[in-house]
Amino acid sequence: MLSLPALCVGTLARRGILGTASMRAAHGHSGHVATQEDMSVPRYYDKRSFPLPDVPFHAQLGTEQKALKEKEKGSWKQLSNEEKVALYRLKFNQTFAEINRPSNEWKTVLGGIFIFFSFTGLIVWWQRVYVFPPKPRSLTDEWKAQQVKRMLDMRMNPIQGFSAKWDYDKNEWKK
Amino acid sequence: MAHPLQLGFQDAMSPIMEELLHFHDHTLMIVFMISAMVLYIIMLMMTTKLTYTNTMNAQEVEMIWTILPAIVLITIALPSLRVLYLMDEINNPHLTIKAIGHQWYWTYEYTDYDNLEFDSYMIPTQDLPNGYFRLLEVDHRMMMPMESPIRMLISAEDVLHSWAVPSLGVKTDAVPGRLNQTTFIVTRPGVFYGQCSEICGANHSFMPIVVESLPLQHFENWSTMSS
């Protein structure tokens, strides 16, 4: 009984469909391949809470880029828009807008939750049909009506509770 | 007894239960306020545009969120202790009734004057008359005079039980070999239901307690007739 689903999960897992990496890739979090980073030197990172990383994104610059950095040392008014953007991209990998971009992950999460809810609902339904014993005889409408009458006659909870909501003069529930 | 889908307490039928209702209102109000504030803060945390996460010092807010909870706790503790001590007041009972728990029924003994003793078994559902309360009715109710302080001595013959009647604000464990005392006054005539409140075996859910309070004259008539 346990072997069948385990087999299916095995094949799917090998295809990487169920893996977290593929789930994250489906929502635009991909491209983060794990390599061996040297953690003993300052490194670049994109983080909301650390807006100014210790090192620039592109540490090694080509000839054109070096020329641009020299131009940056002068007045910034002589830089064109594209040059400013290029300088920014040398220093930073993502803009704040890109770091904080929303994803569609919530739809997957909510969808998964609903799938589990419905599966549980099916199980509960099956239980009601095949497992539950017959209801006690005190749950028929007739019995419940007699029970209510008895509770009112006995003045159950007459101050703020049950019988307090019944109008004994007019023989009806209070409006 | 409770009605279906009831959320709150049953109406108070003794002064101590009234005190407990008021205390519960007071404490629940505080709990709601704290929960609303926490929910609001969570919502703020999830929708902020601020990004700095390395706060080091927060002396003023630390003072506030230490002193304010202490004040809240004192505000809850003072009424709580008041009710606790009220429960232990000396009240010179007019009558002593013993309730002994067995598997799975109660025995009530009225031994102040005559030797009145009887068992109280639950009425099984198949024998229940129409409209009666399933799993709550018993064959012999515990009768008592209203507006009189009553002393209950609760014990058990075999295993742990617990004698509980919510509308009177009473719950006392029945421990074999031990007498536990509780006192209360029933302010109104009526029938009050409770259930055994300590797991005691297969029929733990099927040994209810039914207390019927009567004016003194009727109680004395019953007592004379029964003994």
Side-chain angles (χ1 to χ4, degrees):
Chain A
M1 209 21 225
L2 282 174
S3 54
L4 258 172
L7 266 180
C8 303
V9 170
T11 5
L12 285 174
R14 249 174 273 128
R15 288 193 203 151
I17 293 178
L18 287 185
T20 41
S22 55
M23 281 287 157
R24 289 172 59 91
H27 290 291
H29 295 298
S30 64
H32 298 265
V33 185
T35 51
Q36 202 63 16
E37 295 266 353
D38 185 359
M39 300 300 284
S40 62
V41 294
R43 45 188 290 264
Y44 177 81
Y45 40 75
D46 282 312
K47 257 197 201 170
R48 282 179 77 196
S49 50
F50 277 104
L52 298 174
D54 301 326
V55 294
F57 184 51
H58 285 299
Q60 293 90 20
L61 300 175
T63 354
E64 276 178 15
Q65 293 161 331
K66 281 195 184 136
L68 197 51
K69 289 299 270 182
E70 284 300 319
K71 194 172 178 195
E72 191 192 17
K73 289 181 185 170
S75 169
W76 287 346
K77 289 198 191 354
Q78 26 149 328
L79 293 168
S80 71
N81 242 11
E82 294 82 27
E83 284 174 330
K84 287 180 191 169
V85 172
L87 281 166
Y88 184 91
R89 288 293 173 181
L90 282 180
K91 197 104 187 260
F92 301 102
N93 180 24
Q94 290 178 316
T95 65
F96 253 54
E98 286 163 9
I99 294 173
N100 296 336
R101 70 188 179 282
S103 77
N104 283 329
E105 187 178 2
W106 67 273
K107 297 178 191 169
T108 310
V109 170
L110 217 53
I113 290 173
F114 288 147
I115 288 175
F116 276 113
F117 275 176
S118 8
F119 181 62
T120 308
L122 286 173
I123 293 182
V124 170
W125 188 8
W126 178 86
Q127 276 182 333
R128 280 188 163 191
V129 172
Y130 289 104
V131 177
F132 284 3
K135 280 190 190 171
R137 60 193 188 114
S138 59
L139 289 176
T140 59
D141 285 338
E142 193 192 328
W143 188 295
K144 287 198 278 192
Q146 289 170 317
Q147 188 170 286
V148 165
K149 176 150 196 340
R150 185 155 182 269
M151 285 165 76
L152 291 172
D153 290 341
M154 294 167 89
R155 302 289 197 273
M156 291 287 177
N157 294 327
I159 308 150
Q160 285 181 312
F162 195 70
S163 306
K165 302 194 170 77
W166 177 261
D167 193 337
Y168 282 95
D169 299 319
K170 296 192 198 142
N171 244 1
E172 58 185 15
W173 290 108
K174 286 184 185 166
K175 302 263 183 307
Chain B
M1 61 170 268
H3 60 260
L5 295 181
Q6 176 170 329
L7 285 180
F9 291 119
Q10 300 178 32
D11 283 345
M13 295 298 160
S14 78
I16 290 294
M17 191 57 204
E18 284 177 35
E19 294 288 342
L20 284 171
L21 283 182
H22 295 318
F23 172 66
H24 179 261
D25 286 345
H26 165 82
T27 310
L28 195 62
M29 165 76 78
I30 295 173
V31 163
F32 278 159
M33 291 202 295
I34 296 175
S35 307
M37 189 182 73
V38 168
L39 268 173
Y40 175 61
I41 291 176
I42 291 175
M43 203 212 58
L44 282 182
M45 292 294 117
M46 297 209 299
T47 55
T48 183
K49 295 278 180 282
L50 302 170
T51 55
Y52 187 61
T53 55
N54 287 5
T55 312
M56 299 297 281
N57 259 331
Q59 294 296 76
E60 301 80 9
V61 68
E62 293 266 359
M63 285 276 276
I64 294 175
W65 67 38
T66 306
I67 293 186
L68 226 50
I71 295 177
V72 167
L73 286 174
I74 293 175
T75 314
I76 297 176
L78 290 178
S80 172
L81 290 171
R82 175 179 166 271
V83 178
L84 187 64
Y85 278 79
L86 267 175
M87 288 181 190
D88 280 342
E89 285 275 309
I90 316 242
N91 61 357
N92 294 323
H94 294 175
L95 182 63
T96 300
I97 307 176
K98 300 189 201 65
I100 319 281
H102 305 259
Q103 279 176 316
W104 286 279
Y105 60 98
W106 293 94
T107 309
Y108 298 111
E109 296 177 11
Y110 298 69
T111 49
D112 281 346
Y113 305 107
D114 304 311
N115 246 346
L116 175 57
E117 183 184 324
F118 55 90
D119 295 339
S120 177
Y121 278 83
M122 181 186 88
I123 300 181
T125 308
Q126 65 233 34
D127 301 338
L128 206 54
N130 279 6
Y132 276 50
F133 309 131
R134 185 176 68 98
L135 306 185
L136 280 178
E137 302 283 4
V138 296
D139 50 7
H140 303 115
R141 296 172 176 168
M142 186 187 109
M143 314 295 258
M144 44 184 287
M146 58 182 261
E147 288 174 340
S148 314
I150 306 281
R151 172 196 284 125
M152 295 280 315
L153 293 172
I154 321 257
S155 184
E157 278 282 325
D158 34 43
V159 296
L160 292 177
H161 301 269
S162 186
W163 196 83
V165 183
S167 45
L168 302 177
V170 173
K171 182 178 291 177
T172 311
D173 281 358
V175 182
R178 182 187 170 93
L179 281 181
N180 281 333
Q181 175 180 297
T182 185
T183 53
F184 53 86
I185 301 175
V186 186
T187 47
R188 285 168 234 276
V191 184
F192 314 117
Y193 293 86
Q195 293 177 289
C196 177
S197 299
E198 183 68 42
I199 184 82
C200 53
N203 287 346
H204 156 68
S205 318
F206 308 116
M207 46 182 292
I209 296 133
V210 186
V211 171
E212 184 172 340
S213 77
L214 310 164
L216 184 59
Q217 186 57 48
H218 296 272
F219 171 74
E220 287 181 337
N221 293 345
W222 168 84
S223 171
T224 327
M225 269 191 344
S226 309
S227 50

